[in-house]
Amino acid sequence: VIAAYTLNARSGITGVVFNDTLGDGAAATGVAAAGAVAYIDTNGNARRDAGEPTAVADAGGNYAFRGLAAGTY
């Protein structure tokens, strides 16, 4: 699963989660990972922990984190 993201000027992160079935890093038609959980790994341990911000991908694989404080994510 590949997660692409964009840091928005309005304190948010948006992106698309998809299954990279061709291994080329590009989303193809019908490969959205609907229901996938994206998270911000605030402690850097490469796993989702209680209390870390999460967002669930919609039917198109789109996810969004809104209202984030300024910083590096």
Side-chain angles (χ1 to χ4, degrees):
V1 175
I2 302 288
Y5 65 91
T6 303
L7 181 59
N8 295 321
R10 294 189 176 167
S11 301
I13 297 172
T14 61
V16 179
V17 181
F18 59 93
N19 294 310
D20 188 8
T21 55
L22 300 176
D24 61 1
T29 302
V31 296
V37 178
Y39 69 98
I40 298 175
D41 190 11
T42 57
N43 62 3
N45 68 350
R47 66 174 205 229
R48 190 176 77 186
D49 298 307
E52 290 180 326
T54 59
V56 178
D58 66 13
N62 302 293
Y63 67 89
F65 294 94
R66 304 274 185 229
L68 298 173
T72 302
Y73 295 92

